[in-house]
Amino acid sequence: MSKPLTPEQRQPKCARCRKHPVLADYRPFCSKRCADADLGSWLNGSYAIAGTPAEDAEDAPPGASPVPDEDDA
């Protein structure tokens, strides 16, 4: 059986590429490149946080088209 690693021996992997160890300056990423790529994914809309749909037009995010009522069809 192998011995457990000490905290000094453990090196977490990058949250983006999972290839390189994390650097303190860009934690939880290995580099500025991976940090910027992850930010780009958030800004691009590739990532989303699940939630309930907005029911009122004033609760909807800006730019979202309102859902037509059945009476309007």
Side-chain angles (χ1 to χ4, degrees), residues 3-65:
K3 294 170 70 176
L5 297 174
T6 63
E8 293 80 28
Q9 293 173 324
R10 282 187 240 144
Q11 288 188 328
K13 299 293 182 186
C14 176
R16 177 77 180 176
C17 70
R18 303 269 187 226
K19 294 179 184 175
H20 305 289
V22 170
L23 297 178
D25 292 344
Y26 302 107
R27 190 173 191 137
F29 305 104
C30 64
S31 65
K32 182 165 176 41
R33 179 176 178 251
C34 279
D36 288 346
D38 187 71
L39 177 62
S41 293
W42 278 103
L43 296 175
N44 197 3
S46 297
Y47 298 145
I49 298 173
T52 58
E55 292 185 20
D56 297 326
E58 60 192 39
D59 291 342
S65 60

